[in-house]
């Protein structure tokens, strides 16, 4: 029990830090979008609706059950947060799920046939790991939408939602947030390259696996999260409260 509590405490710190950093670098949108962690098959840590990500705190995160009821914390999650995240956790097995409308990745979902192209080494991190939803169905007003997303995401870590945004999944908050960050950077480079009107230069496909499977990937992700927390410890220590 003690180990579980300690793990949840660290997860809360990482998730609050990830939310604050996402706001700092412009990956957020209003008080919408959602980050979540599956603590148990019937317990999920998620950010509260109406709390701006730049004000996220470890203690202010909510724990909800698999029916969307708040079992710990003050406030409520966004309805779309429950409808998307809980089915995706349960049906894909992904422990961490991050959903944003971050601008460059979302821009690719607004282009006919938009895909993350293997034109930069950051894109190579996602070689063979991206799924694409071509059927925008409006707001996620029921768990059916989350289940639909989950079916597309099985076997993938990234789901581009047509005319909507992206979902990134991982084993830890550090893993998923590292992917979220580098996904946006890869999309930014691609959009800038496309804006020149020149033909894109693709990385040879045989190089994709080594770019995706580099051995220090998880170690680097942890270092990135630790670096973010060190900055927040100095500049915004309230995140840890």
């Amino acid at each position: 029990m003690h180990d579980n509590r300690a793990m949840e405490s660290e997860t809360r710190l990482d998730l609050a830090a990830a939310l604050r950093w996402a706001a700092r670098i412009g990956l957020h949108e209003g008080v919408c979008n959602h980050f979540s962690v599956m603590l148990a098959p019937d317990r999920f840590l998620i950010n509260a609706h109406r709390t701006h990500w730049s004000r996220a705190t470890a203690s202010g995160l909510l724990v909800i059950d698999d029916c969307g009821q708040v079992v710990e914390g003050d406030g409520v999650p966004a309805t779309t947060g429950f409808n998307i995240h809980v089915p995706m956790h349960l049906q894909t097995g992904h422990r961490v799920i991050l959903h944003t409308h971050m601008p460059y990745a979302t821009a690719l979902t607004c282009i006919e046939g938009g895909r993350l192209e293997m034109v930069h080494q950051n894109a190579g991190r996602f070689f063979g790991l991206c799924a694409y939803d071509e059927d925008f169905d409006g707001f996620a007003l029921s768990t059916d939408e989350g289940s639909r997303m989950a079916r597309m995401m099985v076997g993938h870590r990234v789901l581009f939602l047509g005319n909507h945004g992206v979902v990134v999944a991982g084993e830890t908050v550090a893993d998923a947030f590292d992917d979220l960050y580098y996904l946006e950077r890869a999309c930014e480079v691609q959009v800038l390259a496309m804006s020149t009107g020149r033909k894109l230069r693709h990385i040879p496909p045989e190089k994709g696996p080594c770019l995706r499977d580099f051995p220090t990937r998880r170690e680097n992700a942890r270092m990135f999260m630790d670096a973010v927390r060190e900055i927040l410890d100095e500049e915004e220590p309230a995140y840890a409260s």
Side-chain angles (χ1 to χ4, degrees):
M1 176 65 78
H2 177 74
D3 289 345
N4 289 342
R5 276 295 179 184
M7 184 178 297
E8 181 180 330
S9 178
E10 280 300 302
T11 298
R12 283 177 173 271
L13 288 168
D14 280 352
L15 196 60
L19 288 160
R20 288 210 180 206
W21 203 256
R24 185 181 284 213
I25 62 177
L27 306 187
H28 67 306
E29 188 166 71
V31 294
C32 302
N33 300 167
H34 343 93
F35 286 2
S36 65
V37 181
M38 183 165 64
L39 302 174
D42 61 348
R43 292 291 185 269
F44 307 87
L45 189 67
I46 193 168
N47 55 299
H49 204 194
R50 301 179 182 170
T51 298
H52 196 275
W53 289 14
S54 66
R55 296 291 181 264
T57 63
S59 63
L61 298 169
L62 307 176
V63 177
I64 62 173
D65 65 17
D66 53 355
C67 296
Q69 298 300 308
V70 176
V71 297
E72 189 175 336
D74 295 323
V76 295
T79 300
T80 54
F82 167 71
N83 288 340
I84 291 172
H85 287 245
V86 170
M88 293 194 80
H89 281 298
L90 294 176
Q91 294 171 39
T92 67
H94 289 305
R95 181 168 176 265
V96 180
I97 292 178
L98 312 180
H99 170 52
T100 73
H101 300 167
M102 54 192 190
Y104 289 98
T106 300
L108 294 185
T109 75
C110 301
I111 298 171
E112 187 71 34
R115 295 289 186 270
L116 177 64
E117 304 285 351
M118 294 296 111
V119 295
H120 186 264
Q121 67 176 18
N122 285 342
R125 295 166 59 99
F126 306 102
F127 180 77
L129 298 177
C130 297
Y132 297 89
D133 171 22
E134 304 286 5
D135 299 313
F136 177 65
D137 197 31
F139 293 113
L141 299 180
S142 76
T143 55
D144 289 345
E145 180 65 0
S147 294
R148 187 181 73 85
M149 293 178 183
R151 288 192 293 272
M152 289 182 284
M153 201 168 186
V154 171
H156 301 89
R157 285 211 303 264
V158 175
L159 174 61
F160 284 84
L161 302 166
N163 307 106
H164 183 175
V166 294
V167 176
V168 175
E171 177 60 26
T172 68
V173 175
D175 291 343
F177 190 70
D178 193 57
D179 273 353
L180 188 79
Y181 172 80
Y182 279 103
L183 179 67
E184 180 68 349
R185 296 293 285 179
C187 292
E188 180 180 5
V189 168
Q190 180 179 326
V191 169
L192 290 171
M194 291 169 67
S195 72
T196 67
R198 303 282 296 275
K199 184 178 179 180
L200 295 178
R201 181 168 60 192
H202 287 77
I203 295 170
E206 60 269 20
K207 295 187 182 296
C210 67
L211 292 173
R212 178 191 62 208
D213 301 328
F214 65 94
T216 60
R217 183 182 188 120
R218 297 197 70 185
E219 178 185 353
N220 289 356
R222 187 63 252 173
M223 287 192 293
F224 179 34
M225 179 55 66
D226 288 344
V228 165
R229 283 178 53 175
E230 286 176 7
I231 294 170
L232 293 177
D233 285 340
E234 294 179 6
E235 299 179 2
E236 300 179 37
Y239 88 95
S241 63

